[in-house]
Amino acid sequence: MKTDLVGMSGPKEEANKEKETCSIESLNSQGSLDSNRKDDRASLILTLTLYNVRKTELSKAAEVFEMFETQIHHFETRQAKKPKNSVDDLDIFVECEVHSADVGILIISLKRVAKDVKTSREDKVPWFPRKIQDLDKCHHLITKYDPSLDHDHPGYSDLEYNKRRAFFADLAFNYRAGDPLPHIEYTAQETATWRQVYRKLRSLYPTHACTQFLDAFQQLEKHCGYREDNIPQLQVVSRFLKERTGFQLRPAAGQLSARDFLGSLAFRVFQCTQYIRHFSSPMHSPEPDCCHELLGHVPMLADKEFAQFSQDIGLASLGSSEEEIEKLATLYWFTVEFGLCKQNGLIKAYGAGLLSSYGELMYALSNKPEHKPFDPEVTAVHPYQDQTFQPVYFIAENLEDAKVKLQNYTMKIKKPFALHYDPFTSSIEVLNTPQKIKRALHQIKEELRNFCLALENLS
């Protein structure tokens, strides 16, 4: 049936077809099509021109897409840049998916009903979330330290602990964006473990933590039930963060893959575990737990500067190569997890891995490890240690300086597209047409107008 669309042709037209087919094969070999799909579908960006458009011409083009079961993500028409006959000449832009085997014949068929059919380069790009609901798919776990698999995990032989962990995992896997965050009735033993960690760490915070952390921690104690005898609920903490910086929490079953975890940060969503470390090892956990998340991460996510820093790493990760993901994950490790900064002539901790580990927090601020200035180019490729204390820590001049350096670094990451986060819809837009860029600029223009009015009112 598909050959019917092409129709009968003479020797000259057959030669043209063969030439077109060769050009398509060349295009495929150059990697312009993304066939990295489970169902072997290719992503295409097409531009074409219809001259002296009437309903029949437009419908013919539409029939071609329909014939090949094309999934159209974006279809846009505009007046032709180089009209030949009339104002009815149209340029058409299409983002679509089609079965890989049909790519060549699709383009040949389009050339028979339209002019100037071109395919823009679209590299093979890993899937990434485009709206906050897509985070329901971002739950791939790293099982390296899973208590049911890791023989060295403190809870490996504790059947009750593993059963409890399975309960938390089910809650996380069944959670969907927009659902209320699960309310947990923690056991007396779990609360006792929390108490030991909370009491020990809280004694160090005044002398070892940065001022941003201390300010937020005070507010968390006041408004979110942070205290020795109570493990805070995610719903309460998430509401607090949302009001302060726009960040929100969602439950995680364990340690996520770097791509899934960082991708969530792009939407100002922090994937947060709800289980607690094994009671036999209260001062150390080989994997993230609620002590690490609630005591280490949450206070810093309540700071606007740091929240932007975290989202910037997340945005940079979207669609990045595995090599770049590894570098961004390393940057995250040495900053968000184990970062130090200067404040009032002293070195303070802002990394969650330090602020949730009594032993390493003292060690990091001693004269035992090596301290280096934070430079993203150096930090991104520095080897890190996930079994013992870090031999090297990177010190930022301040959080603003760290944010600017990170933004400069991420601008150098090579991608075939630019992205824009829309905070109104909590979605990511790929800026691959002039119209999309204009819409994004219009939003910025409106914000600038408001700021100008505010300045006028102050003068």
Side-chain angles (χ1 to χ4, degrees), residues 49-151:
T49 302
L50 293 176
Y51 291 114
N52 198 19
V53 174
R54 299 182 181 87
K55 288 183 179 179
T56 51
E57 280 79 5
L58 199 55
S59 64
K60 283 179 182 178
E63 285 172 5
V64 173
F65 289 111
E66 185 178 358
M67 180 74 73
F68 296 101
E69 299 176 349
T70 309
Q71 184 178 357
I72 295 178
H73 298 301
H74 185 80
F75 188 95
E76 188 174 310
T77 62
R78 68 194 77 148
Q79 191 172 351
K81 289 183 178 178
K82 299 177 181 178
K84 290 185 178 180
N85 302 312
S86 71
V87 293
D88 293 328
D89 297 346
L90 291 180
D91 286 337
I92 297 175
F93 175 91
V94 185
E95 276 185 273
C96 62
E97 284 184 26
V98 66
H99 292 291
S100 297
D102 293 335
V103 169
I105 192 70
L106 168 69
I107 296 176
I108 291 173
S109 300
L110 284 172
K111 286 184 176 181
R112 279 159 171 71
V113 298
K115 303 294 182 182
D116 298 328
V117 178
K118 297 176 183 177
T119 61
S120 301
R121 178 178 177 83
E122 181 164 315
D123 291 333
K124 291 182 179 179
V125 175
W127 177 89
F128 61 89
R130 305 231 182 159
K131 53 185 185 293
I132 200 167
Q133 290 81 5
D134 289 341
L135 299 185
D136 292 342
K137 304 171 188 175
C138 296
H139 50 57
H140 298 94
L141 295 178
I142 304 297
T143 57
K144 182 178 179 181
Y145 299 117
D146 188 285
S148 63
L149 301 173
D150 177 16
H151 289 246

Side-chain angles (χ1 to χ4, degrees), residues 348-369:
K348 299 290 183 177
Y350 71 89
L354 298 175
L355 293 163
S356 60
S357 171
Y358 182 86
E360 190 158 7
L361 182 54
M362 289 196 300
Y363 169 81
L365 295 182
S366 71
N367 57 6
K368 294 178 182 178

Side-chain angles (χ1 to χ4, degrees), residues 22-34 119-124:
C22 290
S23 69
I24 296 302
E25 290 173 352
S26 173
L27 182 65
N28 281 323
S29 67
Q30 292 169 15
S32 296
L33 310 177
D34 179 7
T119 61
S120 301
R121 178 178 177 83
E122 181 164 315
D123 291 333
K124 291 182 179 179

Side-chain angles (χ1 to χ4, degrees), residues 130-409:
R130 305 231 182 159
K131 53 185 185 293
I132 200 167
Q133 290 81 5
D134 289 341
L135 299 185
D136 292 342
K137 304 171 188 175
C138 296
H139 50 57
H140 298 94
L141 295 178
I142 304 297
T143 57
K144 182 178 179 181
Y145 299 117
D146 188 285
S148 63
L149 301 173
D150 177 16
H151 289 246
D152 295 326
H153 194 288
Y156 175 73
S157 58
D158 188 334
L159 296 180
E160 281 301 314
Y161 181 76
N162 278 281
K163 183 179 178 181
R164 182 69 165 163
R165 286 290 299 270
F167 163 75
F168 284 108
D170 285 342
L171 288 178
F173 285 132
N174 290 319
Y175 179 85
R176 295 293 178 267
D179 290 350
L181 289 164
H183 182 92
I184 306 299
E185 294 293 340
Y186 288 100
T187 66
Q189 189 176 71
E190 288 168 337
T191 304
T193 301
W194 167 269
R195 183 184 298 111
Q196 290 182 67
V197 178
Y198 192 93
R199 183 180 297 168
K200 196 85 170 175
L201 286 169
R202 197 180 185 286
S203 68
L204 276 187
Y205 289 158
T207 53
H208 289 64
C210 66
T211 55
Q212 291 90 337
F213 179 92
L214 294 174
D215 291 344
F217 195 80
Q218 184 181 29
Q219 293 300 308
L220 288 162
E221 287 191 320
K222 183 177 180 181
H223 300 292
C224 297
Y226 271 55
R227 58 180 188 271
E228 287 184 9
D229 62 348
N230 179 65
I231 302 176
Q233 295 293 332
L234 293 197
Q235 187 72 44
V236 178
V237 177
S238 185
R239 190 183 306 119
F240 172 83
L241 288 177
K242 186 76 173 175
E243 292 173 356
R244 298 275 295 230
T245 62
F247 253 90
Q248 56 188 304
L249 306 178
R250 67 172 287 151
Q255 184 173 347
L256 299 178
S257 70
R259 187 178 293 279
D260 282 356
F261 180 78
L262 296 178
S264 302
L265 296 178
F267 296 82
R268 297 209 170 205
V269 171
F270 184 84
Q271 301 244 26
C272 185
T273 57
Q274 290 186 284
Y275 59 82
I276 197 165
R277 59 195 63 182
H278 194 261
F279 67 89
S280 66
S281 181
M283 292 304 144
H284 172 71
S285 176
E287 57 182 338
D289 74 328
C290 67
C291 293
H292 173 71
E293 322 279 40
L294 296 173
L295 296 176
H297 281 291
V298 165
M300 290 306 300
L301 289 172
D303 178 75
K304 289 184 178 180
E305 203 84 65
F306 186 82
Q308 186 61 57
F309 181 91
S310 300
Q311 186 181 27
D312 287 340
I313 294 181
L315 289 168
S317 76
L318 299 180
S320 286
S321 66
E322 289 301 323
E323 181 183 0
E324 291 298 345
I325 288 290
E326 178 64 28
K327 291 180 179 179
L328 288 168
T330 303
L331 273 172
Y332 185 90
W333 181 269
F334 281 116
T335 55
V336 178
E337 292 290 355
F338 294 96
L340 299 174
C341 64
K342 295 178 182 178
Q343 285 187 344
N344 301 320
L346 300 173
I347 297 175
K348 299 290 183 177
Y350 71 89
L354 298 175
L355 293 163
S356 60
S357 171
Y358 182 86
E360 190 158 7
L361 182 54
M362 289 196 300
Y363 169 81
L365 295 182
S366 71
N367 57 6
K368 294 178 182 178
E370 183 180 359
H371 291 155
K372 292 184 176 182
F374 174 60
D375 177 354
E377 297 286 352
V378 175
T379 307
V381 294
H382 196 283
Y384 61 85
Q385 178 58 254
D386 63 357
Q387 296 291 316
T388 61
F389 296 166
Q390 305 301 310
V392 176
Y393 298 92
F394 291 89
I395 305 175
E397 289 297 318
N398 50 63
L399 292 184
E400 167 66 21
D401 183 64
K403 186 185 75 173
V404 171
K405 286 180 177 176
L406 174 74
Q407 290 171 339
N408 290 337
Y409 173 86

